[in-house]
């Protein structure tokens, strides 16, 4: 986890503070912002009282050590700026590489995974949970088999929250990332803000006018 600046200390080096992390400027990372807005729908639906997650930027130090990231690092963080896990942007770019992946599904998968890491570690709880099997879920492409692994290239479905099922198997896609509200028990669905409830139902029905 990173939240504060830290000092580099070693033989022949004085103590120096690294740049403070800062919230990402609006519009600086449009694809990451769009993906996080989708993931935050699931945060709002399943974690009552939790503020939306934000993007935090750890600026690169002008005298970074060899092998260190050569660009600012972007993380999915709690509203107070704390995070856990890996950056969600490309930090070691080759020449002409874009700073954000071109594929929206890839960006959403990466951001959902980072959000889960931050929430689980900093709230000390499993998130999100499959209401049928009462166990944690993980983001993966839709329609994958139980033996799918990160980095497999044979799955191109949109990111979903996937549950491994019970001890006898039965892994299944639970909901598209961003659509967990429609999977909640009735009482919890009714407890959502009316406007969020309506938006969730319309998105699930495929209404293109709902963002």
């Amino acid at each position: 986890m990173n939240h504060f600046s830290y000092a580099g200390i070693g033989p022949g080096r004085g103590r120096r503070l690294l740049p403070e992390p800062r919230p990402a400027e609006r519009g600086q990372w449009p694809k990451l912002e769009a993906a996080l807005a989708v993931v935050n729908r699931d945060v709002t639906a399943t974690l009552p009282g939790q503020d939306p997650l934000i993007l935090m930027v750890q600026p690169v130090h002008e005298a970074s050590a060899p092998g260190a990231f050569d660009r600012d690092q972007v993380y999915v963080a709690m509203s107070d700026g704390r995070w856990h896990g890996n950056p969600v942007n490309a930090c070691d770019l080759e020449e002409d590489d874009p700073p954000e992946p071109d594929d929206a599904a890839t960006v959403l998968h990466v951001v959902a995974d980072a959000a889960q890491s931050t929430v689980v570690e900093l709230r000390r709880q499993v998130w999100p949970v499959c209401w049928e099997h009462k166990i944690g879920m993980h983001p993966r492409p839709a329609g994958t088999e139980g033996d799918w692994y990160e980095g497999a290239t044979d799955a191109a479905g949109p990111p979903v929250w996937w549950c491994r099922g019970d001890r006898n198997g039965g892994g299944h896609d639970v909901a598209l990332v961003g659509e967990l509200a429609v999977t909640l028990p009735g009482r919890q669905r009714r407890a959502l803000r009316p406007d969020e409830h309506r938006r969730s139902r319309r998105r699930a029905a495929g209404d293109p006018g709902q963002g």
Side-chain angles (χ1 to χ4, degrees):
M1 181 181 71
N2 196 332
H3 184 194
F4 305 103
S5 295
Y6 56 92
I9 302 175
R13 294 193 298 173
R15 184 179 181 89
R16 55 184 173 84
L17 292 178
L18 297 184
E20 285 284 353
R22 63 175 186 271
E25 296 179 9
R26 186 180 297 275
Q28 183 179 8
W29 301 95
K31 294 178 182 178
L32 296 176
E33 291 174 15
L36 186 57
V38 173
V39 175
N40 269 327
R41 298 204 298 252
D42 289 340
V43 172
T44 298
T46 59
L47 297 173
Q50 172 64 51
D51 290 333
L53 304 178
I54 65 173
L55 296 176
M56 287 290 289
V57 178
Q58 173 63 69
V60 66
H61 192 271
E62 62 183 12
S64 293
F69 290 130
D70 60 3
R71 292 177 181 267
D72 293 349
Q73 300 163 59
V74 184
Y75 296 88
V76 176
M78 305 293 272
S79 60
D80 61 6
R82 295 176 301 145
W83 71 78
H84 183 270
N86 296 321
V88 291
N89 64 315
C91 300
D92 295 311
L93 298 177
E94 299 293 335
E95 186 175 359
D96 296 327
D97 281 349
E100 299 176 289
D102 291 327
D103 179 32
T106 298
V107 178
L108 183 55
H109 183 120
V110 170
V111 170
D113 188 65
Q116 181 179 51
S117 180
T118 288
V119 170
V120 168
E121 180 67 22
L122 300 184
R123 285 182 60 108
R124 304 293 185 186
Q125 69 179 85
V126 176
W127 181 82
V129 173
C130 172
W131 291 102
E132 177 183 355
H133 294 106
K134 305 300 188 291
I135 59 174
M137 302 183 287
H138 297 279
R140 60 159 65 184
T144 53
E145 300 296 331
D147 59 354
W148 179 84
Y149 60 92
E150 195 75 39
T153 58
D154 58 348
V160 299
W161 292 112
W162 184 86
C163 169
R164 61 177 172 80
D166 57 27
R167 66 183 62 185
N168 297 317
H172 61 112
D173 296 352
V174 174
L176 291 169
V177 171
E179 303 299 337
L180 281 179
V182 299
T183 72
L184 298 177
R187 179 179 299 178
Q188 289 180 257
R189 287 201 308 273
R190 290 191 293 272
L192 294 175
R193 296 191 304 272
D195 57 339
E196 176 60 27
H197 191 188
R198 286 194 296 269
R199 285 197 298 269
S200 296
R201 292 178 60 185
R202 289 170 180 170
R203 286 193 297 266
D207 185 343
Q210 298 300 315

